[in-house]
């Protein structure tokens, strides 16, 4: 059976003007049976369209803050570093991926991006916007493989279908988060302080995003391994049709 080719959105170092990649993203996909390929960072719509048509699925990685312009708010001083080129590329690619009904897996920034692109809003800085439970650590220190707080998994979502449990421990390294959930998304996991930690797009074959970092915990956490395995399986042409039926069944 041919292994699915998965496009991985590049990370960008502004100071060095260079693309880079966390090997854990790539290794998790490879170990799960996929072929990860880091994409170029481009705003050329013809190139992005070709990428969308070529790859079997897409991993939207973490990194820069999402530009508040995408959710029609002014940038506050507490907002972190932006990357306009990433925002432009990923917005156009995400639209193409949805149209083609190809799998999309978002991690951290990916979760925030999906929500912003679909009409939701974000907290530009959780510590200053919310009086959250101090026991829920959203900005842990290394090692990032350590699991620091729990999330409740909502039933009748593809996340619950994958993990087969109602609660897991996750790592956490983010200062932004979902404020108003897009009406095109469903909350699939909620932290103890009420923050949305995972979203799914109902009616799609596989559009799933998590706020935590399964790439960091992949080597030590079975649930992280299950997430990548499910994503890669969704990207496999041989399994794509059966997965779409699974999604219809659990959301019916």
């Amino acid at each position: 059976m041919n292994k699915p080719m998965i496009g991985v959105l590049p990370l960008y170092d502004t100071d060095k003007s260079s693309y880079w990649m966390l090997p854990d993203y790539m290794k998790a996909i490879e170990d799960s049976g996929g072929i990860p390929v880091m994409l170029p960072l481009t705003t050329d719509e013809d190139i992005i369209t070709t990428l969308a048509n070529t790859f079997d699925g897409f991993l939207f990685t973490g990194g820069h803050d999402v530009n508040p312009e995408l959710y029609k708010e002014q940038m506050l001083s507490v907002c972190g570093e932006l990357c306009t080129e990433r925002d432009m590329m990923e917005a156009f690619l995400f639209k193409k991926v949805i149209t083609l009904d190809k799998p999309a897996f978002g991690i951290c920034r990916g979760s925030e991006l999906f929500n912003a692109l679909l009409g939701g809003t974000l907290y530009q800085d959780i510590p200053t916007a919310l009086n959250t439970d101090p026991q829920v650590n959203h900005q842990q220190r290394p090692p990032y493989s350590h699991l620091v707080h729990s999330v409740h998994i909502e039933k009748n979502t593809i996340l619950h279908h994958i993990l087969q449990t109602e609660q897991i421990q996750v790592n956490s390294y983010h200062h932004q988060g979902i404020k108003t959930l897009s009406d095109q998304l469903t909350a699939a996991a909620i932290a103890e302080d009420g923050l949305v930690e995972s979203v799914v797009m109902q009616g799609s074959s596989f559009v799933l995003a998590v706020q935590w970092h399964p790439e960091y915990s992949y080597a030590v956490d079975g649930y992280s391994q299950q997430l990548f395995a499910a994503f890669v399986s969704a990207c496999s042409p041989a399994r794509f049709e059966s997965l779409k039926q699974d999604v219809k069944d659990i959301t019916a």
Side-chain angles (χ1 to χ4, degrees), residues 180-245:
T180 303
L181 184 65
S182 162
D183 60 10
Q184 297 185 59
L185 296 173
T186 298
I190 308 291
E192 297 165 82
D193 59 4
L195 275 176
V196 175
E197 291 270 340
S198 176
V199 294
V200 296
M201 188 174 184
Q202 307 289 22
S204 64
S205 296
F206 191 103
V207 175
L208 167 66
V210 297
Q211 190 70 70
W212 62 93
H213 287 270
E215 78 281 9
Y216 283 131
S217 54
Y218 175 82
V220 297
D221 177 54
Y223 291 123
S224 298
Q225 294 164 14
Q226 286 175 254
L227 279 172
F228 276 102
F231 170 53
V232 172
S233 292
C235 297
S236 171
R239 286 222 47 217
F240 197 48
E241 291 304 318
S242 63
L243 182 76
K244 286 197 286 188
Q245 186 57 52

Side-chain angles (χ1 to χ4, degrees), residues 6-7 55-60 97-98 100-106 114 204-208 230-236 240 243:
I6 298 172
F55 287 89
D56 298 304
F58 298 87
L59 174 61
F60 287 77
V97 169
I98 296 303
L100 294 168
D101 198 21
K102 289 193 174 183
F105 183 30
F114 290 3
S204 64
S205 296
F206 191 103
V207 175
L208 167 66
F231 170 53
V232 172
S233 292
C235 297
S236 171
F240 197 48
L243 182 76

Side-chain angles (χ1 to χ4, degrees), residues 154-161 186 200 202 249-252:
E154 298 290 334
K155 292 183 177 180
N156 299 319
T157 64
I158 195 170
L159 182 65
H160 188 272
H161 178 69
T186 298
V200 296
Q202 307 289 22
D249 290 343
I250 66 175
T251 59

Side-chain angles (χ1 to χ4, degrees), residues 39-225:
L39 302 180
L41 183 60
T42 178
T43 58
D44 186 308
E45 293 186 356
D46 289 337
I47 294 176
I48 298 171
T49 298
T50 299
L51 295 173
N53 288 322
T54 299
F55 287 89
D56 298 304
F58 298 87
L59 174 61
F60 287 77
T61 53
H64 293 84
D65 283 2
V66 175
N67 194 325
E69 289 182 359
L70 291 182
Y71 48 96
K72 298 179 175 59
E73 290 188 7
Q74 291 187 339
M75 182 176 175
L76 304 176
S77 61
V78 290
C79 189
E81 183 181 3
L82 308 179
C83 181
T84 301
E85 197 170 7
R86 277 198 73 176
D87 288 335
M88 292 174 64
M89 176 185 178
E90 293 176 9
F92 189 78
L93 177 61
F94 185 70
K95 180 180 178 180
K96 288 292 183 182
V97 169
I98 296 303
T99 300
L100 294 168
D101 198 21
K102 289 193 174 183
F105 183 30
I107 292 177
C108 196
R109 166 188 160 90
S111 178
E112 297 155 8
L113 180 79
F114 290 3
N115 187 61
L117 293 177
L118 293 172
T121 64
L122 303 177
Y123 293 113
Q124 293 188 38
D125 182 63
I126 292 170
T128 56
L130 288 177
N131 184 21
T132 60
D133 185 340
Q135 299 302 313
V136 182
N137 183 5
H138 290 292
Q139 290 183 284
Q140 72 184 89
R141 295 181 178 181
Y144 298 121
S145 59
H146 184 58
L147 308 179
V148 296
H149 72 77
S150 66
V151 296
H152 172 76
I153 309 298
E154 298 290 334
K155 292 183 177 180
N156 299 319
T157 64
I158 195 170
L159 182 65
H160 188 272
H161 178 69
I162 293 166
L163 302 181
Q164 293 293 301
T165 186
E166 293 183 29
Q167 184 169 299
I168 63 170
Q169 292 289 120
V170 299
N171 55 14
S172 193
Y173 187 65
H174 63 108
H175 86 108
Q176 295 201 317
I178 292 174
K179 180 168 64 175
T180 303
L181 184 65
S182 162
D183 60 10
Q184 297 185 59
L185 296 173
T186 298
I190 308 291
E192 297 165 82
D193 59 4
L195 275 176
V196 175
E197 291 270 340
S198 176
V199 294
V200 296
M201 188 174 184
Q202 307 289 22
S204 64
S205 296
F206 191 103
V207 175
L208 167 66
V210 297
Q211 190 70 70
W212 62 93
H213 287 270
E215 78 281 9
Y216 283 131
S217 54
Y218 175 82
V220 297
D221 177 54
Y223 291 123
S224 298
Q225 294 164 14

